[in-house]
Amino acid sequence: MVWRRFRRHRAAMVSLVVLGLITAFAFVGPFVWPWDHTVSRDILGNQPPSLQHPFGTTNQGNDVFAQTMRGTQQSLKVALTVAVLSTVIGSVWGAVAGYYRGRVDAIMMRVVDVFLIVPLIVAVAAINGNVRGGTTWYAVALIMCLFSWATIARVVRGVVLSLREQEFIEAARAVGARASRIIFRHLLPNAAGPIIVAATLLVAVAVLTEAALSFIGFGIQPPDISLGKMVEGSRTAAFTRPWLFYPPGVLIVMICLTINFIGDGLRDALDPRQTMVRR
């Protein structure tokens, strides 16, 4: 039923296909493309797009097409890692707080409030700039995850506060089910809809955050590359050498748009009150 509803959302279906193509471009493309993202002596620098180099080359002798594949791959790895880890941490935290309520809920939610009021980019940039190895993709992802789980925790807590009063939870308590079993076997599976939607949208947020961090110099750094770092490195060439600036910028926009449309489709598909066909 959920799949049928999702298929009716045409923008979400198109976005799913486009995101699949972008993912294949990022993770399969480097295995078939003759150039890699590093500097090569066989590449002439500062060349416009051609059949050999569809996105042109940089001044240093990098193939921009290969750089774009590598940058997309690293940005997606950061975004997916942040989304998965933040969803797991936030879901468990919110479910525990919502189930126990009272003093436990109050203390846990004050911790969430602290993380919510801290500006994400400022916090990640401050930590990332002072951690050895903080310029690698996995270090960036882990540090971003520390400040990204709070939103999902608040969403899950609200859902669990409603679910814990349902009859099936009362029945589980009546037969002597432990709190951990109720949380992981009953509450979290029944809160899967909001969790999935929130996790999907978090991917787009993580892509933009990583791009912003790389743009201001606190994200992934050379010799590695990301889409945000490519935009930062070519910002002065937007009009003189547009082949350096627009490919990574367009890909950032496309990834975020497709993720948002997919999240919109999932929200409609998982909402039992939704009966209209979205176009």
Side-chain angles (χ1 to χ4, degrees), residues 210-225:
E210 187 281 324
L213 286 170
S214 295
F215 189 83
I216 62 178
F218 290 99
I220 299 173
Q221 298 295 319
D224 213 337
I225 196 75

Side-chain angles (χ1 to χ4, degrees), residues 7-55:
R7 286 188 302 174
R8 295 185 188 134
H9 198 298
R10 296 179 183 176
M13 287 300 296
V14 172
S15 297
L16 188 63
V17 173
V18 172
L19 184 62
L21 293 175
I22 292 174
T23 304
F25 168 78
F27 289 94
V28 180
F31 292 101
V32 298
W33 190 245
W35 311 102
D36 60 25
H37 67 285
T38 58
V39 176
S40 174
R41 296 180 180 179
D42 299 325
I43 297 177
L44 294 176
N46 199 27
Q47 297 298 305
S50 62
L51 292 177
Q52 190 176 19
H53 304 288
F55 291 170

